[in-house]
Amino acid sequence: MLRPYVAEWFKKKYGEFTPVQRKTLPLVKQGVNVLVSSPTGTGKTLAVFLGIIDNMYDYYERNNKLPDGVHVVYVSPLRALNNDMKRNLYEPVREIVEVAREMGIQLPEIKIAVRTSDTSPYEKQKMLRDPPHILITTPESLALSLNAPRFRELLRNTRIIVVDEIHDLASSKRGSHLAVSIERLENLVDTPIQRIGLSATISPLEEVAKFLVGFRDDGEPRDCYIVDARFDKKVDIRVVSPVEDLVHTPAEIVNEAIYKKIIDYVKRHRTTLIFTNTRSATERVVFKLRKIMEKEKILDIDDIEAHHSSLSRDVRLNVEEKLKKGELRVVVSSTSLELGIDIGYIDLVILLSSPKSATRLLQRVGRSGHHIREVSKGRIIVVDRDDLVECTVLAKLAMERKIDNIRIPRNPLDVLAQHIVGLALEGDWKLEDAYRLVKRSYPFHELNYEDFKNVVYYLAGKLGDFYEYQRVYSKIWLDEEKGVFGRKKKTRMIYYLNIGVIPDESKVKVFTTDGKYVGDLEEGFVEYLTPGDLFVLGGRVYEFLQSRGFTAIVRRADGQRPTVPSWFSEMLPLSFDSAIEVGRFRRTISEMLDKHGFEKTIEYLVKEYRLQREAARSICEYIMEQKLYTGNLVPSDKLILIEIYDEESRRNIIVHSLFGRRANDALARLYAYMIGSKLGVNVKITVTDNGFMLTIPGHLDADYVELFKSIPVDKAWDILSKVVRKTDLLKRRFRHVAVRSFMLLRRYGDTEKSIHKLQLNAEELLKAVEEIKDFPVLKEAYREILMDYMHIDEAIRVLEAVQRGEIKVEIIGPLDVPTPFAHSIVVHGYTDVVLMEDMRRLLARLHDLVLEKLKSLNKPLGGESSLSITT
């Protein structure tokens, strides 16, 4: 299929095709739409561009010239990936031209250029004079290019668009933005464009394919071929427990054991990539490793580097460059190296604690063994028993390639607002034509005309009477009679200076009620807080009262238990699909313990889950303790356990709901609303991946099971909207949406508004638009919170299953010692106020109290003998 010189170059350089290349190349050459899903290092990018380059030289042979203008647009989410791509493309083109010359064939070089926010004005001017054949860009820069009058003309000859890392883009508003940009590009070109998507492991592929290709005007999805090579590469994933006893071993010994394991792995491998789940943990691990390595003279401190999003771009690029050249032995990252930047040879990936989803686990481990014939090797080091259970399940899911389903945002109205302004810049548009174009994209395919019209009317200053008084001015003109809209004089400047969907974030200054400055908090953390929440700052516990702009007001709450740990906003949430699998695992092991006994269940875990024997025993003991202590109530995918745990002056209602943190967040707020309304008290909420805890003053009785079962499914959206109305979450998300919708302008002319000023303006605007029915900016803020942040749809699925009797709800208590599965939920907020050593002692103490209770009830935990006492 390939031109002789292209084939010759490939044989010289690589020898033979990988399976994914064999499947992909013919489809690319035929010019059909194709989605390619395979792990890093399987050669999918080369397969795509080899087909494109070969077709371009075929065109040259037939026409004695290469195609005019921009022929291929390549979009990736990372600017660093763009530079990487230029290098990886430029080299093959140069080498192919060289091979052709040796064969007596003269070929012109295919021109490649990068256009992102980092591109200098000089480079952009150069592109206008001498356009590249292949343009490498980001979603934001593509949107700007479509509205740059002169550059737009160069895009008229585009015939192919390649979207890289589509799994990362599709799940965010950047992907929604890109999907409409691609429809606008096709509209400009006025002929179908070949669409090619490149993805790591993702599911379901059919949905991602629809996201890539969109719909025809008749409502049918465009055709798309799927190359499913997700599992062509072998993986070797194991869960490692650093110590035999994860409950009673002191924290310092566990810590030492973790680093001992890491160092042992590093010594035996050439390059090790370590993933943590937060930026702060990344810094801690690098600091500690350097100290140990230097002291024990194992490695030089320059052999170890950190890589995370808070580091400057130059530092990150430097680390990536050193990795590629093989100059580093260890790199510690949070999430920033999950995407496919070419980082050269890595032979081991270590994960410290759970990655929170099987998909992310495969993605991280896939960074090792950077070739199709090499095995991707990953080791997960766990820190406690909940972590051990979770990681055991995730590792098995990853090995069996059972991955989580992607969530693609639907109808984000702020993204729509940006594109309507972008369309107005192109010329005058009929409402029906613009609506039809937007609906061709997957994220907006189900958009109703009323919502579309409301966005246009809002942008034209025709929705409510608050505009002048709040100094919000129209961005477009609208002729209501003719149903046509277009641009105004200042539209272009507003669009260019304010486009983009990634929100600016800042620190929030914290003051006590008497004006004393306490410190700073991350904005993402503050948006989660509701009045009455307790958190730790500078070693003290404070109660959150309110915030205005970027100032939070608190009062001291010495001696009280914190309800929200400070790392909460940074921590990855356990996904719904993975959480259900953890619940299923708990139920299976519980049933096996009843049926086959302790030793046989341990054997099963060692064999089927590739666990160390002690780790398998630890899981069995953990589940057995819960069974014995509760009379066989093991929370699972089929059982929600409500546990009443009373302390001296308060009652804790612990709900064991294994549905992931996002769904639990929605469930917790709905249940808290029901309890608060019934008992007339303020309810404090603590949310975790495995459940949530509601704390109320005193020991008030109620039918807690009935209250849970009676959460009205049909009113869940309205109740949650009402609950979040008074929170910081709405105030801050409204700012994000208002900025994206050009309601608040970050930049205008020569002035730039501070985030603090934007936040204050947003809070004033929020009050002004609340009374306007279906105001699109506010409607989108609620949609983003309830669907993207909280996953109300998953919570509703759980509630419906409860009402159908598919999930049972049981209650236990009041207890003076919480059940074993509740311990990590109870101490959740303590993780800041006490040192890790004290925290582990607290967990060990709770565990000892459980064992004492079992002993007093004549239910000792001791292998086979204890099994006869299950109730």
Side-chain angles (χ1 to χ4, degrees):
M1 291 183 81
L2 296 171
R3 325 252 54 72
Y5 41 86
V6 177
E8 183 59 28
W9 169 80
F10 189 86
K11 271 183 226 161
K12 267 187 180 174
K13 185 112 176 174
Y14 297 101
E16 59 177 328
F17 288 124
T18 64
V20 71
Q21 289 169 339
R22 208 178 290 281
K23 294 172 193 167
T24 305
L25 197 64
L27 295 169
V28 173
K29 288 211 35 86
Q30 284 165 38
V32 297
N33 296 330
V34 57
L35 171 68
V36 188
S37 182
S38 75
T40 306
T42 49
K44 58 179 177 286
T45 312
L46 181 61
V48 166
F49 277 105
L50 202 60
I52 290 171
I53 290 165
D54 192 77
N55 280 354
M56 285 173 81
Y57 281 132
D58 178 43
Y59 181 95
Y60 171 76
E61 286 177 16
R62 286 184 287 107
N63 299 284
N64 206 25
K65 63 167 194 166
L66 286 167
D68 295 327
V70 175
H71 183 69
V72 183
V73 174
Y74 166 88
V75 183
S76 107
L78 296 176
R79 287 181 307 208
L81 195 56
N82 288 331
N83 295 320
D84 214 48
M85 201 59 229
K86 186 180 177 186
R87 199 166 38 223
N88 293 346
L89 257 180
Y90 186 72
E91 214 171 86
V93 167
R94 201 170 39 77
E95 289 170 357
I96 286 167
V97 170
E98 195 60 43
V99 170
R101 195 176 295 134
E102 286 166 13
M103 295 169 75
I105 303 164
Q106 291 300 316
L107 293 177
E109 270 199 21
I110 292 166
K111 289 173 289 192
I112 301 150
V114 175
R115 185 183 171 105
T116 69
S117 55
D118 294 335
T119 309
S120 67
Y122 168 74
E123 286 292 325
K124 287 179 183 172
Q125 283 300 316
K126 205 167 120 189
M127 274 182 227
L128 287 172
R129 292 191 301 273
D130 185 17
H133 298 107
I134 299 175
L135 174 71
I136 300 172
T137 190
T138 59
E140 293 76 11
S141 291
L142 174 61
L144 284 169
S145 300
L146 282 166
N147 282 112
R150 288 170 66 196
F151 197 81
R152 177 183 167 78
E153 290 308 305
L154 302 179
L155 292 171
R156 281 191 190 276
N157 291 328
T158 305
R159 293 295 173 267
I160 304 163
I161 185 152
V162 182
V163 182
D164 203 354
E165 306 287 345
I166 198 168
H167 57 280
D168 182 63
L169 284 167
S171 58
S172 70
K173 286 191 175 182
R174 291 183 81 196
S176 309
H177 203 284
L178 175 63
V180 182
S181 289
I182 295 173
E183 295 304 333
R184 287 176 58 196
L185 178 63
E186 186 155 303
N187 191 65
L188 168 70
V189 171
D190 205 22
T191 185
I193 290 175
Q194 180 184 14
R195 303 179 189 211
I196 301 167
L198 299 173
S199 171
T201 308
I202 195 170
S203 176
L205 288 179
E206 292 72 19
E207 194 176 351
V208 182
K210 282 181 192 168
F211 171 83
L212 171 69
V213 299
F215 295 82
R216 300 193 302 257
D217 280 337
D218 63 3
E220 288 299 308
R222 295 184 181 102
D223 292 335
C224 186
Y225 288 80
I226 294 172
V227 175
D228 183 0
R230 290 174 295 179
F231 314 125
D232 281 358
K233 203 161 172 238
K234 289 188 174 67
V235 289
D236 168 21
I237 301 171
R238 285 178 185 262
V239 175
V240 179
S241 177
V243 291
E244 285 187 9
D245 181 354
L246 282 164
V247 180
H248 291 95
T249 309
E252 59 274 20
I253 294 173
V254 173
N255 240 344
E256 266 172 44
I258 288 171
Y259 284 102
K260 195 168 176 296
K261 282 256 186 265
I262 293 173
I263 287 160
D264 190 38
Y265 283 130
V266 168
K267 279 180 183 169
R268 287 187 282 127
H269 295 84
R270 203 170 92 193
T271 311
T272 303
L273 174 59
I274 302 171
F275 279 107
T276 67
N277 286 344
T278 62
R279 295 187 294 271
S280 50
T282 296
E283 291 292 353
R284 270 202 316 276
V285 172
V286 169
F287 177 74
K288 182 90 173 164
L289 275 177
R290 279 179 171 162
K291 240 168 120 176
I292 298 169
M293 301 283 196
E294 205 177 14
K295 190 179 168 192
E296 297 182 15
K297 296 191 169 46
I298 301 164
L299 293 179
D300 193 68
I301 58 165
D302 293 335
D303 291 336
I304 307 166
E305 292 286 3
H307 189 291
H308 57 76
S309 55
S310 295
L311 294 168
S312 76
R313 185 169 168 267
D314 290 346
V315 170
R316 291 200 311 271
L317 285 174
N318 184 37
V319 172
E320 289 158 24
E321 210 52 50
K322 280 172 145 181
L323 250 181
K324 264 177 234 174
K325 290 177 182 166
E327 292 171 5
L328 294 173
R329 288 289 302 279
V330 185
V331 173
V332 187
S333 173
S334 51
T335 54
S336 54
L337 284 178
E338 282 178 357
L339 291 186
I341 305 164
D342 179 15
I343 48 175
Y345 182 85
I346 285 165
D347 50 350
L348 176 70
V349 168
I350 297 174
L351 294 93
L352 294 179
S353 198
S354 168
K356 298 295 174 186
S357 89
T359 309
R360 183 175 276 111
L361 174 54
L362 272 173
Q363 212 165 305
R364 288 180 169 187
V365 173
R367 303 303 277 149
S368 71
H370 208 87
H371 191 277
I372 185 71
R373 289 171 200 88
E374 289 166 9
V375 176
S376 290
K377 192 169 161 190
R379 298 292 178 261
I380 315 168
I381 300 176
V382 300
V383 294
D384 58 40
R385 295 196 297 184
D386 281 321
D387 201 26
L388 172 61
V389 170
E390 194 175 296
C391 292
T392 298
V393 174
L394 293 181
K396 177 85 163 158
L397 290 172
M399 292 294 284
E400 292 175 354
R401 311 307 213 275
K402 291 177 183 164
I403 54 181
D404 312 86
N405 286 334
I406 189 174
R407 283 178 70 94
I408 298 173
R410 300 299 175 93
N411 306 324
L413 299 180
D414 46 1
V415 170
L416 177 63
Q418 288 197 15
H419 277 293
I420 287 170
V421 174
L423 287 170
L425 287 174
E426 290 179 11
D428 298 353
W429 276 81
K430 279 190 171 174
L431 284 171
E432 290 80 9
D433 293 342
Y435 177 58
R436 203 178 301 118
L437 181 143
V438 167
K439 266 179 75 82
R440 286 179 206 141
S441 71
Y442 181 83
F444 291 99
H445 186 59
E446 291 164 2
L447 177 73
N448 68 56
Y449 188 64
E450 205 50 41
D451 280 342
F452 172 81
K453 215 168 85 174
N454 272 350
V455 174
V456 175
Y457 273 62
Y458 139 67
L459 287 167
K462 294 177 185 287
L463 217 57
D465 55 4
F466 67 92
Y467 289 85
E468 290 300 318
Y469 128 76
Q470 286 292 346
R471 300 179 68 186
V472 174
Y473 303 111
S474 57
K475 315 295 179 289
I476 59 174
W477 59 259
L478 170 69
D479 185 325
E480 290 178 69
E481 273 182 40
K482 291 180 181 169
V484 174
F485 67 88
R487 72 185 176 96
K488 296 182 83 170
K489 201 174 167 187
K490 298 279 172 67
T491 308
R492 190 172 299 280
M493 178 170 64
I494 289 169
Y495 184 78
Y496 273 41
L497 293 176
N498 295 278
I499 193 174
V501 295
I502 302 167
D504 294 325
E505 301 243 319
S506 184
K507 298 265 197 234
V508 176
K509 293 194 175 304
V510 181
F511 293 90
T512 55
T513 44
D514 56 2
K516 188 177 165 227
Y517 173 60
V518 179
D520 296 342
L521 291 171
E522 294 282 337
E523 188 184 354
F525 177 70
V526 174
E527 76 172 10
Y528 182 79
L529 298 175
T530 55
D533 276 341
L534 303 166
F535 66 94
V536 175
L537 185 59
R540 285 188 183 280
V541 182
Y542 292 96
E543 181 185 352
F544 175 73
L545 300 175
Q546 65 175 72
S547 81
R548 176 144 171 79
F550 279 79
T551 302
I553 307 299
V554 299
R555 69 166 154 244
R556 279 183 45 181
D558 298 337
Q560 292 200 56
R561 186 185 65 236
T563 54
V564 189
S566 63
W567 44 261
F568 187 85
S569 61
E570 229 189 298
M571 195 70 181
L572 298 165
L574 180 65
S575 67
F576 183 71
D577 296 339
S578 292
I580 285 175
E581 292 296 336
V582 173
R584 187 174 288 133
F585 174 81
R586 281 185 180 183
R587 178 165 54 85
T588 304
I589 299 305
S590 170
E591 288 165 0
M592 284 189 77
L593 284 165
D594 285 343
K595 218 172 184 176
H596 304 296
F598 225 77
E599 290 307 319
K600 280 197 174 151
T601 309
I602 290 172
E603 294 298 335
Y604 166 78
L605 286 169
V606 169
K607 189 174 165 224
E608 293 296 318
Y609 288 83
R610 306 170 81 210
L611 285 174
Q612 303 151 288
R613 193 167 185 80
E614 284 311 317
R617 177 175 291 280
S618 198
I619 289 173
C620 289
E621 283 177 355
Y622 188 29
I623 291 171
M624 200 65 219
E625 284 164 19
Q626 179 75 13
K627 286 166 76 67
L628 292 171
Y629 191 61
T630 62
N632 230 4
L633 294 174
V634 175
S636 68
D637 58 327
K638 300 288 183 196
L639 173 68
I640 292 172
L641 177 63
I642 296 175
E643 172 180 342
I644 309 299
Y645 160 51
D646 283 344
E647 294 174 276
E648 200 176 321
S649 59
R650 61 188 167 207
R651 166 161 284 180
N652 302 294
I653 303 141
I654 301 165
V655 181
H656 298 266
S657 52
L658 276 135
F659 305 108
R661 195 190 322 149
R662 302 272 193 228
N664 279 344
D665 199 343
L667 285 170
R669 292 178 199 242
L670 287 167
Y671 193 33
Y673 174 83
M674 299 297 287
I675 289 173
S677 305
K678 175 78 177 169
L679 301 177
V681 292
N682 283 331
V683 184
K684 288 188 170 62
I685 300 174
T686 300
V687 179
T688 75
D689 290 319
N690 295 338
F692 54 90
M693 179 165 70
L694 307 179
T695 304
I696 59 174
H699 298 151
L700 297 168
D701 282 321
D703 189 339
Y704 292 109
V705 171
E706 197 42 50
L707 274 173
F708 188 88
K709 285 182 173 177
S710 62
I711 296 171
V713 172
D714 56 336
K715 293 197 181 80
W717 186 282
D718 295 338
I719 292 171
L720 259 189
S721 299
K722 191 174 165 185
V723 168
V724 300
R725 168 56 197 103
K726 301 295 176 212
T727 63
D728 256 59
L729 185 56
L730 182 69
K731 283 191 225 166
R732 292 176 194 285
R733 293 295 167 124
F734 181 76
R735 181 192 92 232
H736 294 173
V737 174
V739 168
R740 284 191 209 109
S741 307
F742 301 150
M743 192 178 196
L744 287 171
L745 302 178
R746 283 174 296 195
R747 298 173 197 89
Y748 186 72
D750 296 332
T751 60
E752 187 166 344
K753 268 190 187 169
S754 69
I755 305 183
H756 178 69
K757 185 77 175 138
L758 286 170
Q759 184 61 45
L760 290 172
N761 290 161
E763 288 169 28
E764 290 302 318
L765 273 175
L766 182 56
K767 290 175 200 158
V769 301
E770 264 189 315
E771 302 309 312
I772 303 170
K773 189 178 182 306
D774 282 342
F775 191 78
V777 182
L778 183 55
K779 188 173 182 175
E780 174 54 25
Y782 279 120
R783 189 211 63 79
E784 184 182 300
I785 291 167
L786 270 55
M787 285 298 291
D788 302 346
Y789 181 83
M790 273 188 206
H791 299 189
I792 188 174
D793 53 325
E794 293 168 351
I796 286 170
R797 268 170 69 184
V798 172
L799 293 171
E800 285 174 341
V802 166
Q803 289 176 3
R804 287 193 302 267
E806 291 164 16
I807 297 175
K808 287 192 164 54
V809 183
E810 301 275 2
I811 192 162
I812 186 170
L815 304 169
D816 55 351
V817 176
T819 68
F821 282 8
H823 295 178
S824 60
I825 300 174
V826 171
V827 303
H828 182 71
Y830 277 130
T831 49
D832 290 317
V833 76
V834 294
L835 295 167
M836 185 50 95
E837 295 78 51
D838 299 334
M839 164 106 158
R840 292 193 76 87
R841 274 201 286 276
L842 186 57
L843 282 167
R845 178 74 191 122
L846 285 170
H847 182 249
D848 290 343
L849 288 169
V850 164
L851 294 183
E852 280 169 29
K853 284 261 183 200
L854 290 176
K855 211 170 172 184
S856 68
L857 294 167
N858 196 23
K859 295 182 180 180
L861 185 78
E864 298 292 340
S865 60
S866 62
L867 292 166
S868 57
I869 315 167
T870 55
T871 53

